[in-house]
Amino acid sequence: MFHLTSNSVHFGNDSAPNSQSSSPFYQQLYKKTDVALFSQKSRDEDGSAPIEQKIDPEPKKKRQLCSLVSPKLIGWTNISAEAILKEKDDVVERTMAESGVKPGGKYQTKECQSRSKIAIVVPLRNRTEHLQVFLRYMHPFLQRQQLDYAIIVAEQTEGSLFNRGALMNVGFKEAQLLDNFQCFFFHDVDNLPENDGNPYSCPEDGKPRHMTFSLSRWNNYKPFPGWYFGGVTALTANDFRKINGFSNVYWGWGGEDDDLLRRIRFHKMTPTRAMDGYPSLIEMARYKTLTHKKAEPSPIRHKLLREGTKRLKSDGLKDLTYKKLALELKPLYTKVLVELQQPANRKAPGQH
Ligand code: BGC
């Protein structure tokens, strides 16, 4: 398995909150937090068909379902972007490949049949270093949770304002062409989960999960109020389709995440958070935010948000258009490079 050198990631911080993954309490926590794996109508408990029969109608080899809580969890990591970046590309790529990462950043758990098959969609432009840190950190993190996954990076060319929502939709559509994912983690590149007990398993249908509510850059991890839905969010593929994905009309910084939350509420879904019901374990949901220059907020985002429900049915996955310039299976991720056409009437005041 891939290990970063000990000076870049330190495991098992003594002062950290509970990370005893095998304790019955911890297992309870997982069950309670609608953690994906566990949430598919209690497969284990009611004796219904194991998940491999539901994902893959013709499994090559019947494997045992992974345990409810991965035995490979190690708890806290001290993330040092600097140290992670010191690793040489070829060394990283080789060790990752040895750990089982396939071209395109795909991975299948070896020891058992994973309970979740997830796609991580990362919207990107001009953030090469952050992407490098993200990939080098997230692969081992996801593997320790015994997930089947792929990392898909949707990258926007220059020439238009950044459109995070549309890029998420692009990632979703392109991922569907690659494989059959149960759920999607829409993931900013600069947010890194600090404890691998923070579940990246699929949420239940109807219960999209907001992951990034406790951030190093925000009030020393003080949990955000419930209106915030940015950073990292997890939805089942079904739910994402039902809400017609993200809106495509938010060009520039802000608003698309608020709009997503409104879509979720409009469809009577319940937004959830990891560790819901376990306030004493809330620290496990902490994220480290990599620093970058803050973008200029879009001045029209509030207006767009107010009119959001009028557009719901058409604006999103249904009317998404993009020009696909490249699809590359890189050693650690799938890259989809797209050009997005920003309509003249969506330009912010002063933008040409
Ligand atoms: C923006 C959101 C952003 C939030 C927190 C809001 O004003 O519209 O996109 O996530 O602030 O920064």
Side-chain angles (χ1 to χ4, degrees), residues 46-131:
D46 67 6
S48 61
I51 193 157
E52 68 264 31
Q53 290 174 13
K54 291 176 183 169
I55 302 173
D56 180 359
E58 286 175 358
K60 285 181 194 76
K61 209 169 88 193
K62 212 157 187 231
R63 294 186 301 157
Q64 212 184 359
L65 197 59
C66 295
S67 58
L68 203 55
V69 177
S70 166
K72 299 168 110 185
L73 300 184
I74 44 93
W76 292 94
T77 60
N78 289 334
I79 303 166
S80 159
E82 225 177 51
I84 290 175
L85 286 169
K86 279 195 186 131
E87 303 282 334
K88 289 214 164 55
D89 272 346
D90 56 336
V91 176
V92 171
E93 283 168 18
R94 195 177 58 242
T95 38
M96 290 276 188
E98 279 164 13
S99 79
V101 177
K102 301 271 181 292
K106 287 188 258 179
Y107 179 82
Q108 189 179 34
T109 299
K110 284 174 271 185
E111 312 80 29
C112 47
Q113 173 62 52
S114 179
R115 290 168 178 258
S116 281
K117 182 163 176 171
I118 70 169
I120 309 262
V121 174
V122 182
L124 196 86
R125 184 157 74 184
N126 292 338
R127 300 280 280 277
T128 318
E129 276 201 350
H130 282 180
L131 180 63

Coordinates of all heavy atoms in Angstrom, one line a residue, residues 46-131:
D46 N -31.0 -7.8 7.1 CA -32.2 -8.5 6.7 C -32.0 -9.7 5.7 O -32.9 -10.3 5.2 CB -33.2 -7.5 6.0 CG -32.6 -7.0 4.7 OD1 -31.6 -7.5 4.2 OD2 -33.2 -6.1 4.1
G47 N -30.7 -10.0 5.6 CA -30.4 -11.2 4.8 C -30.7 -11.0 3.3 O -30.7 -12.0 2.5
S48 N -30.8 -9.8 2.9 CA -31.1 -9.5 1.4 C -29.8 -9.8 0.6 O -28.7 -10.0 1.2 CB -31.6 -8.1 1.2 OG -30.7 -7.2 1.6
A49 N -29.9 -9.7 -0.7 CA -28.8 -10.0 -1.5 C -27.6 -9.1 -1.2 O -27.7 -7.9 -0.9 CB -29.2 -9.8 -3.0
P50 N -26.4 -9.7 -1.2 CA -25.2 -8.9 -0.9 C -25.0 -7.9 -2.1 O -25.5 -8.1 -3.2 CB -24.1 -9.9 -0.9 CG -24.6 -11.1 -1.5 CD -26.1 -11.1 -1.4
I51 N -24.3 -6.8 -1.8 CA -24.2 -5.7 -2.7 C -23.6 -6.0 -4.1 O -24.0 -5.5 -5.1 CB -23.5 -4.5 -2.1 CG1 -23.7 -3.3 -2.9 CG2 -22.0 -4.8 -2.0 CD1 -23.5 -2.0 -2.1
E52 N -22.7 -7.0 -4.1 CA -22.1 -7.3 -5.4 C -23.1 -7.7 -6.4 O -23.0 -7.5 -7.6 CB -20.9 -8.3 -5.3 CG -21.3 -9.7 -4.9 CD -21.2 -9.9 -3.4 OE1 -21.4 -8.9 -2.7 OE2 -20.8 -11.0 -3.0
Q53 N -24.2 -8.3 -5.9 CA -25.2 -8.8 -6.9 C -26.0 -7.6 -7.4 O -26.6 -7.7 -8.4 CB -26.2 -9.8 -6.2 CG -25.5 -11.1 -5.9 CD -26.3 -12.0 -5.1 OE1 -27.5 -11.8 -5.0 NE2 -25.7 -13.1 -4.6
K54 N -26.0 -6.5 -6.6 CA -26.7 -5.3 -7.1 C -25.9 -4.4 -8.0 O -26.4 -3.8 -8.9 CB -27.2 -4.5 -5.8 CG -28.3 -5.3 -5.1 CD -28.7 -4.5 -3.8 CE -29.6 -5.4 -3.0 NZ -29.9 -4.8 -1.7
I55 N -24.6 -4.4 -7.8 CA -23.8 -3.5 -8.6 C -23.4 -4.2 -9.9 O -23.6 -3.7 -11.0 CB -22.5 -3.2 -7.9 CG1 -22.7 -2.5 -6.6 CG2 -21.6 -2.3 -8.8 CD1 -21.5 -2.3 -5.8
D56 N -23.0 -5.4 -9.7 CA -22.4 -6.1 -10.9 C -23.2 -7.4 -11.1 O -23.1 -8.4 -10.3 CB -20.9 -6.5 -10.6 CG -20.3 -7.2 -11.8 OD1 -21.0 -7.5 -12.7 OD2 -19.1 -7.5 -11.7
P57 N -24.1 -7.5 -12.1 CA -24.9 -8.6 -12.3 C -24.2 -9.9 -12.5 O -24.7 -11.0 -12.3 CB -25.8 -8.3 -13.5 CG -25.2 -7.1 -14.1 CD -24.2 -6.5 -13.1
E58 N -22.9 -9.8 -13.0 CA -22.1 -11.0 -13.2 C -20.8 -11.0 -12.6 O -19.7 -10.8 -13.2 CB -22.0 -11.2 -14.8 CG -23.2 -11.6 -15.4 CD -23.0 -11.7 -17.0 OE1 -21.9 -11.3 -17.4 OE2 -24.0 -12.0 -17.6
P59 N -20.8 -11.0 -11.3 CA -19.5 -10.9 -10.6 C -18.6 -12.1 -11.0 O -19.1 -13.2 -11.1 CB -19.8 -11.0 -9.1 CG -21.2 -11.6 -9.0 CD -21.9 -11.3 -10.3
K60 N -17.3 -11.8 -11.3 CA -16.4 -12.8 -11.7 C -16.2 -13.8 -10.6 O -16.2 -15.0 -10.8 CB -15.1 -12.2 -12.2 CG -15.3 -11.5 -13.6 CD -14.0 -10.9 -14.1 CE -14.3 -9.9 -15.2 NZ -14.9 -8.7 -14.8
K61 N -15.9 -13.2 -9.5 CA -15.5 -14.1 -8.3 C -16.3 -13.6 -7.1 O -16.2 -12.4 -6.9 CB -14.0 -14.0 -8.1 CG -13.4 -15.3 -7.5 CD -11.9 -15.2 -7.5 CE -11.4 -14.6 -6.3 NZ -10.0 -14.3 -6.3
K62 N -17.0 -14.5 -6.5 CA -17.7 -14.0 -5.3 C -16.8 -13.7 -4.2 O -16.0 -14.5 -3.8 CB -18.7 -15.1 -4.9 CG -20.0 -14.5 -4.4 CD -21.1 -15.4 -4.5 CE -22.3 -14.6 -4.0 NZ -23.1 -15.3 -3.1
R63 N -16.9 -12.5 -3.7 CA -16.0 -12.1 -2.6 C -16.8 -11.8 -1.4 O -17.9 -11.3 -1.5 CB -15.1 -11.0 -3.0 CG -14.1 -11.4 -4.1 CD -13.1 -10.3 -4.4 NE -13.8 -9.1 -4.8 CZ -13.2 -7.9 -4.6 NH1 -12.0 -7.7 -4.2 NH2 -13.9 -6.8 -5.0
Q64 N -16.2 -11.9 -0.3 CA -16.9 -11.5 1.0 C -17.1 -10.0 1.1 O -16.1 -9.2 0.7 CB -16.1 -12.0 2.2 CG -17.0 -12.4 3.3 CD -16.2 -12.8 4.5 OE1 -15.0 -12.9 4.5 NE2 -17.0 -13.2 5.5
L65 N -18.2 -9.6 1.5 CA -18.5 -8.2 1.7 C -17.5 -7.6 2.8 O -17.3 -8.2 3.8 CB -19.9 -8.0 2.1 CG -20.6 -6.7 2.0 CD1 -20.6 -6.2 0.6 CD2 -22.0 -6.8 2.6
C66 N -17.0 -6.4 2.5 CA -16.1 -5.8 3.5 C -16.8 -5.6 4.8 O -18.0 -5.4 4.8 CB -15.6 -4.5 3.0 SG -14.6 -4.6 1.5
S67 N -16.1 -5.6 5.9 CA -16.7 -5.4 7.2 C -17.3 -4.0 7.3 O -16.9 -3.1 6.5 CB -15.7 -5.7 8.3 OG -14.6 -4.8 8.2
L68 N -18.2 -3.8 8.2 CA -18.9 -2.5 8.3 C -17.9 -1.4 8.5 O -18.1 -0.3 7.9 CB -19.8 -2.6 9.5 CG -21.0 -1.7 9.6 CD1 -21.8 -1.8 8.3 CD2 -21.9 -2.0 10.8
V69 N -16.9 -1.6 9.3 CA -15.9 -0.6 9.5 C -14.6 -1.2 9.1 O -14.2 -2.2 9.5 CB -15.8 -0.2 11.0 CG1 -14.7 0.8 11.2 CG2 -17.2 0.4 11.5
S70 N -13.9 -0.4 8.2 CA -12.6 -1.0 7.7 C -11.6 -1.2 8.8 O -11.4 -0.3 9.6 CB -12.1 0.0 6.7 OG -10.7 -0.3 6.4
P71 N -10.9 -2.3 8.8 CA -9.8 -2.5 9.8 C -8.6 -1.7 9.5 O -7.6 -1.7 10.2 CB -9.6 -4.0 9.7 CG -10.0 -4.4 8.3 CD -11.1 -3.5 7.9
K72 N -8.6 -1.1 8.3 CA -7.4 -0.4 7.9 C -7.3 1.1 8.3 O -6.4 1.8 8.1 CB -7.2 -0.4 6.4 CG -7.1 -1.9 5.9 CD -7.2 -1.9 4.4 CE -5.9 -2.2 3.8 NZ -6.0 -2.2 2.3
L73 N -8.4 1.6 9.0 CA -8.4 3.0 9.4 C -7.3 3.2 10.4 O -7.1 2.4 11.3 CB -9.8 3.3 10.0 CG -11.0 3.1 9.1 CD1 -12.3 3.6 9.9 CD2 -10.9 3.9 7.8
I74 N -6.7 4.4 10.3 CA -5.7 4.8 11.2 C -6.0 6.0 12.0 O -5.2 6.4 12.9 CB -4.3 4.9 10.6 CG1 -4.4 5.6 9.3 CG2 -3.7 3.5 10.2 CD1 -4.1 7.1 9.4
G75 N -7.1 6.7 11.7 CA -7.5 7.8 12.5 C -6.9 9.2 11.9 O -7.1 9.5 10.8
W76 N -6.2 9.9 12.8 CA -5.8 11.2 12.4 C -4.5 11.3 11.6 O -3.6 10.4 11.8 CB -5.5 12.0 13.7 CG -6.8 12.3 14.4 CD1 -7.3 11.5 15.4 CD2 -7.8 13.3 14.1 NE1 -8.5 12.0 15.8 CE2 -8.8 13.1 15.0 CE3 -7.8 14.3 13.2 CZ2 -10.0 13.9 15.0 CZ3 -8.9 15.2 13.2 CH2 -10.0 14.9 14.1
T77 N -4.5 12.2 10.7 CA -3.2 12.5 9.9 C -2.9 13.9 10.1 O -3.7 14.8 10.1 CB -3.5 12.2 8.4 OG1 -4.5 13.1 8.0 CG2 -4.0 10.8 8.2
N78 N -1.6 14.2 10.2 CA -1.2 15.6 10.2 C -0.7 15.9 8.8 O 0.2 15.4 8.3 CB 0.0 15.8 11.2 CG -0.4 15.7 12.6 OD1 -1.6 15.9 12.9 ND2 0.5 15.3 13.5
I79 N -1.5 16.7 8.1 CA -1.3 16.9 6.7 C -0.2 18.1 6.5 O -0.4 19.2 7.0 CB -2.6 17.3 6.0 CG1 -3.6 16.2 6.2 CG2 -2.4 17.5 4.5 CD1 -5.0 16.6 5.9
S80 N 0.8 17.8 5.8 CA 1.8 18.8 5.4 C 1.9 18.8 3.9 O 2.5 17.9 3.3 CB 3.1 18.5 6.0 OG 4.1 19.2 5.3
A81 N 1.3 19.8 3.3 CA 1.3 19.9 1.8 C 2.7 20.0 1.3 O 3.1 19.4 0.3 CB 0.5 21.1 1.4
E82 N 3.5 20.7 2.0 CA 4.9 20.9 1.6 C 5.6 19.5 1.5 O 6.3 19.2 0.5 CB 5.6 21.7 2.7 CG 6.5 22.8 2.1 CD 7.1 23.6 3.3 OE1 7.6 23.0 4.2 OE2 6.9 24.8 3.2
A83 N 5.5 18.7 2.6 CA 6.1 17.4 2.6 C 5.6 16.5 1.5 O 6.3 15.8 0.8 CB 6.0 16.8 4.0
I84 N 4.2 16.6 1.3 CA 3.6 15.7 0.3 C 4.2 16.1 -1.1 O 4.5 15.2 -1.9 CB 2.1 15.9 0.3 CG1 1.5 15.3 1.6 CG2 1.4 15.3 -0.9 CD1 0.0 15.5 1.8
L85 N 4.4 17.4 -1.3 CA 4.9 17.8 -2.6 C 6.4 17.4 -2.9 O 6.8 17.4 -4.0 CB 4.7 19.3 -2.8 CG 3.3 19.8 -3.0 CD1 3.2 21.3 -2.9 CD2 2.8 19.3 -4.4
K86 N 7.1 17.1 -1.8 CA 8.5 16.7 -2.0 C 8.7 15.4 -2.6 O 9.7 15.1 -3.2 CB 9.2 16.7 -0.6 CG 9.6 18.1 -0.2 CD 10.6 18.0 1.0 CE 10.9 19.4 1.5 NZ 10.8 19.5 2.9
E87 N 7.6 14.6 -2.5 CA 7.7 13.2 -3.2 C 7.9 13.4 -4.7 O 7.2 14.2 -5.3 CB 6.4 12.4 -2.9 CG 6.1 12.3 -1.4 CD 6.9 11.2 -0.7 OE1 7.3 10.3 -1.4 OE2 7.1 11.3 0.5
K88 N 8.7 12.5 -5.2 CA 8.9 12.6 -6.7 C 7.8 11.9 -7.5 O 7.3 10.9 -7.0 CB 10.2 11.9 -7.0 CG 11.4 12.6 -6.6 CD 12.6 12.4 -7.6 CE 13.7 13.3 -7.5 NZ 14.3 13.4 -6.1
D89 N 7.4 12.5 -8.6 CA 6.3 12.0 -9.4 C 6.4 10.5 -9.7 O 5.4 9.7 -9.5 CB 6.2 12.7 -10.7 CG 5.3 14.0 -10.6 OD1 4.6 14.1 -9.6 OD2 5.4 14.8 -11.5
D90 N 7.6 10.1 -10.2 CA 7.7 8.7 -10.6 C 7.6 7.7 -9.5 O 7.0 6.7 -9.6 CB 9.0 8.5 -11.4 CG 10.2 8.9 -10.7 OD1 10.1 9.7 -9.7 OD2 11.3 8.4 -11.0
V91 N 8.1 8.2 -8.3 CA 8.0 7.3 -7.1 C 6.6 7.2 -6.7 O 6.1 6.1 -6.4 CB 8.9 7.9 -6.0 CG1 8.7 7.1 -4.7 CG2 10.3 8.0 -6.4
V92 N 5.9 8.3 -6.7 CA 4.5 8.3 -6.3 C 3.7 7.4 -7.2 O 2.9 6.6 -6.8 CB 3.9 9.8 -6.3 CG1 2.4 9.7 -6.1 CG2 4.5 10.6 -5.2
E93 N 3.9 7.6 -8.5 CA 3.1 6.9 -9.5 C 3.3 5.4 -9.4 O 2.4 4.6 -9.5 CB 3.4 7.4 -10.9 CG 2.6 8.7 -11.1 CD 3.1 9.4 -12.4 OE1 3.7 8.7 -13.3 OE2 2.8 10.6 -12.5
R94 N 4.6 5.0 -9.1 CA 4.9 3.6 -9.0 C 4.3 3.0 -7.7 O 3.6 2.0 -7.8 CB 6.4 3.4 -9.0 CG 6.8 2.0 -9.2 CD 8.3 1.8 -9.3 NE 9.0 2.2 -8.1 CZ 9.9 3.2 -8.0 NH1 10.3 3.8 -9.1 NH2 10.5 3.5 -6.9
T95 N 4.4 3.7 -6.6 CA 3.9 3.2 -5.4 C 2.3 3.1 -5.4 O 1.7 2.2 -4.9 CB 4.3 4.0 -4.1 OG1 4.3 5.3 -4.4 CG2 5.6 3.5 -3.6
M96 N 1.8 4.1 -6.1 CA 0.3 4.1 -6.2 C -0.1 2.9 -7.1 O -1.1 2.2 -6.8 CB -0.2 5.4 -6.9 CG 0.0 6.6 -6.0 SD -1.4 6.8 -4.9 CE -1.1 8.4 -4.2
A97 N 0.6 2.7 -8.2 CA 0.2 1.6 -9.1 C 0.4 0.3 -8.3 O -0.5 -0.6 -8.4 CB 1.1 1.6 -10.3
E98 N 1.4 0.2 -7.5 CA 1.6 -1.0 -6.7 C 0.5 -1.2 -5.7 O 0.1 -2.4 -5.4 CB 3.0 -1.0 -6.0 CG 4.1 -1.3 -6.8 CD 5.5 -0.9 -6.3 OE1 5.5 -0.5 -5.1 OE2 6.4 -0.9 -7.0
S99 N -0.1 -0.1 -5.2 CA -1.2 -0.2 -4.3 C -2.5 -0.6 -5.0 O -3.5 -0.9 -4.3 CB -1.3 1.1 -3.5 OG -2.1 2.0 -4.2
G100 N -2.5 -0.6 -6.3 CA -3.7 -1.0 -7.0 C -4.4 0.1 -7.8 O -5.4 -0.2 -8.4
V101 N -3.8 1.3 -7.8 CA -4.5 2.4 -8.5 C -4.2 2.2 -10.0 O -3.1 2.0 -10.5 CB -3.9 3.8 -8.1 CG1 -4.5 4.9 -8.9 CG2 -4.2 4.0 -6.6
K102 N -5.3 2.2 -10.7 CA -5.3 1.9 -12.2 C -5.3 3.2 -12.9 O -5.7 4.3 -12.4 CB -6.5 1.1 -12.6 CG -6.6 -0.3 -12.0 CD -5.8 -1.3 -12.8 CE -5.9 -2.7 -12.2 NZ -5.2 -2.9 -10.9
P103 N -4.8 3.3 -14.2 CA -4.9 4.5 -15.0 C -6.3 5.1 -14.9 O -7.3 4.4 -15.0 CB -4.5 4.1 -16.4 CG -3.7 2.8 -16.2 CD -4.2 2.2 -15.0
G104 N -6.4 6.4 -14.8 CA -7.7 7.1 -14.7 C -8.0 7.3 -13.2 O -9.1 7.8 -12.8
G105 N -7.1 6.8 -12.3 CA -7.3 7.0 -10.9 C -8.4 6.1 -10.3 O -9.1 6.4 -9.4
K106 N -8.5 4.9 -10.9 CA -9.5 3.9 -10.5 C -8.9 2.9 -9.5 O -7.8 2.5 -9.6 CB -10.1 3.2 -11.7 CG -11.0 4.1 -12.5 CD -11.7 3.3 -13.6 CE -11.0 3.4 -14.9 NZ -11.5 2.7 -16.0
Y107 N -9.8 2.5 -8.6 CA -9.3 1.6 -7.6 C -10.4 0.6 -7.1 O -11.6 1.0 -7.0 CB -8.7 2.3 -6.3 CG -8.3 1.4 -5.2 CD1 -7.0 0.9 -5.3 CD2 -9.1 1.1 -4.2 CE1 -6.5 0.0 -4.2 CE2 -8.6 0.3 -3.1 CZ -7.4 -0.3 -3.2 OH -6.9 -1.1 -2.2
Q108 N -10.0 -0.6 -7.0 CA -11.0 -1.6 -6.4 C -10.4 -2.3 -5.2 O -9.3 -2.8 -5.3 CB -11.3 -2.6 -7.5 CG -12.5 -3.5 -7.1 CD -12.8 -4.5 -8.2 OE1 -12.0 -5.0 -8.9 NE2 -14.1 -4.9 -8.3
T109 N -11.1 -2.3 -4.2 CA -10.6 -2.9 -2.9 C -10.3 -4.4 -3.2 O -11.1 -5.1 -3.8 CB -11.7 -2.8 -1.8 OG1 -12.0 -1.4 -1.6 CG2 -11.3 -3.5 -0.5
K110 N -9.1 -4.8 -2.7 CA -8.6 -6.1 -3.0 C -9.1 -7.2 -2.0 O -9.5 -8.3 -2.4 CB -7.1 -6.1 -3.0 CG -6.5 -5.5 -4.2 CD -5.0 -5.4 -4.1 CE -4.7 -4.0 -3.4 NZ -3.3 -3.7 -3.3
E111 N -9.2 -6.8 -0.7 CA -9.4 -7.8 0.3 C -10.8 -8.3 0.4 O -11.0 -9.4 0.9 CB -9.0 -7.2 1.7 CG -7.7 -6.5 1.8 CD -7.8 -5.0 1.3 OE1 -8.9 -4.4 1.4 OE2 -6.8 -4.5 0.8
C112 N -11.7 -7.5 -0.1 CA -13.2 -7.9 0.1 C -14.0 -7.1 -0.9 O -13.4 -6.3 -1.6 CB -13.6 -7.6 1.5 SG -13.1 -5.9 2.0
Q113 N -15.3 -7.4 -1.0 CA -16.1 -6.7 -1.9 C -16.6 -5.4 -1.2 O -17.2 -5.4 -0.2 CB -17.4 -7.6 -2.2 CG -18.5 -6.8 -3.0 CD -18.0 -6.4 -4.4 OE1 -17.5 -7.2 -5.1 NE2 -18.2 -5.1 -4.7
S114 N -16.2 -4.3 -1.8 CA -16.5 -3.0 -1.1 C -18.0 -2.8 -1.0 O -18.7 -3.3 -1.9 CB -15.8 -1.9 -2.0 OG -16.1 -0.6 -1.4
R115 N -18.4 -2.0 0.0 CA -19.8 -1.7 0.1 C -20.2 -0.5 -0.6 O -21.4 -0.2 -0.7 CB -20.1 -1.5 1.6 CG -20.0 -2.8 2.4 CD -20.0 -2.5 3.9 NE -19.9 -3.7 4.7 CZ -21.0 -4.3 5.3 NH1 -22.2 -3.7 5.2 NH2 -20.8 -5.4 5.9
S116 N -19.3 0.3 -1.1 CA -19.6 1.5 -1.9 C -18.7 1.7 -3.1 O -17.5 1.4 -3.0 CB -19.4 2.8 -1.0 OG -20.4 3.0 -0.1
K117 N -19.3 2.1 -4.1 CA -18.5 2.4 -5.3 C -18.8 3.9 -5.6 O -19.9 4.2 -6.0 CB -19.0 1.5 -6.5 CG -18.2 1.7 -7.8 CD -18.4 0.6 -8.7 CE -17.8 0.8 -10.0 NZ -17.8 -0.4 -10.8
I118 N -17.8 4.7 -5.4 CA -18.0 6.1 -5.4 C -17.2 6.8 -6.5 O -16.1 6.3 -6.9 CB -17.7 6.8 -4.1 CG1 -16.2 6.8 -3.8 CG2 -18.4 6.1 -2.9 CD1 -15.8 7.6 -2.6
A119 N -17.7 7.9 -7.0 CA -16.9 8.7 -7.9 C -16.6 10.0 -7.2 O -17.5 10.6 -6.6 CB -17.7 9.0 -9.2
I120 N -15.4 10.4 -7.2 CA -15.0 11.7 -6.6 C -14.8 12.7 -7.8 O -14.0 12.5 -8.7 CB -13.6 11.6 -5.9 CG1 -13.6 10.5 -4.9 CG2 -13.3 13.0 -5.3 CD1 -13.9 10.8 -3.5
V121 N -15.7 13.7 -7.8 CA -15.6 14.7 -8.9 C -14.9 16.0 -8.4 O -15.4 16.6 -7.5 CB -17.0 15.0 -9.5 CG1 -16.9 16.1 -10.5 CG2 -17.6 13.7 -10.1
V122 N -13.9 16.4 -9.1 CA -13.1 17.6 -8.6 C -13.1 18.6 -9.7 O -12.6 18.4 -10.8 CB -11.7 17.2 -8.3 CG1 -10.9 18.4 -7.8 CG2 -11.6 16.0 -7.4
P123 N -13.7 19.8 -9.5 CA -13.7 20.9 -10.5 C -12.4 21.6 -10.4 O -11.9 21.8 -9.3 CB -14.9 21.8 -10.0 CG -14.9 21.6 -8.6 CD -14.4 20.2 -8.2
L124 N -11.8 22.0 -11.5 CA -10.5 22.5 -11.5 C -10.2 23.6 -12.5 O -10.7 23.5 -13.7 CB -9.5 21.4 -11.6 CG -8.0 21.7 -11.2 CD1 -7.9 21.5 -9.7 CD2 -7.1 20.8 -12.0
R125 N -9.3 24.5 -12.2 CA -8.6 25.3 -13.1 C -7.4 26.0 -12.4 O -7.6 26.5 -11.3 CB -9.5 26.4 -13.7 CG -8.8 27.2 -14.8 CD -9.8 27.9 -15.7 NE -10.4 29.1 -15.1 CZ -11.4 29.8 -15.8 NH1 -11.8 29.5 -17.0 NH2 -11.9 30.8 -15.2
N126 N -6.3 25.9 -13.0 CA -5.1 26.5 -12.5 C -4.7 26.1 -11.1 O -4.4 27.0 -10.3 CB -5.2 28.0 -12.5 CG -5.2 28.6 -13.9 OD1 -4.7 27.9 -14.8 ND2 -5.8 29.7 -14.1
R127 N -4.9 24.9 -10.7 CA -4.6 24.6 -9.3 C -3.7 23.3 -9.3 O -4.0 22.3 -8.6 CB -5.8 24.4 -8.5 CG -6.7 25.6 -8.4 CD -6.3 26.6 -7.4 NE -6.7 26.2 -6.0 CZ -7.9 26.4 -5.5 NH1 -8.8 27.1 -6.2 NH2 -8.1 26.0 -4.3
T128 N -2.6 23.3 -10.1 CA -1.8 22.1 -10.3 C -1.3 21.6 -8.9 O -1.4 20.4 -8.7 CB -0.7 22.4 -11.2 OG1 -1.2 23.2 -12.3 CG2 0.0 21.2 -11.8
E129 N -0.7 22.4 -8.1 CA -0.1 22.0 -6.9 C -1.2 21.4 -5.9 O -1.0 20.3 -5.3 CB 0.6 23.1 -6.2 CG 2.0 23.3 -6.7 CD 2.9 24.0 -5.7 OE1 2.4 24.5 -4.7 OE2 4.1 24.0 -6.0
H130 N -2.3 22.1 -5.8 CA -3.3 21.5 -5.0 C -3.8 20.2 -5.4 O -4.1 19.3 -4.6 CB -4.5 22.5 -4.9 CG -4.3 23.7 -4.0 ND1 -5.2 24.7 -3.8 CD2 -3.2 24.0 -3.3 CE1 -4.7 25.6 -3.0 NE2 -3.5 25.2 -2.7
L131 N -3.9 20.0 -6.8 CA -4.3 18.7 -7.3 C -3.3 17.7 -6.9 O -3.7 16.5 -6.5 CB -4.5 18.8 -8.8 CG -5.0 17.5 -9.4 CD1 -6.4 17.1 -8.9 CD2 -5.0 17.6 -11.0

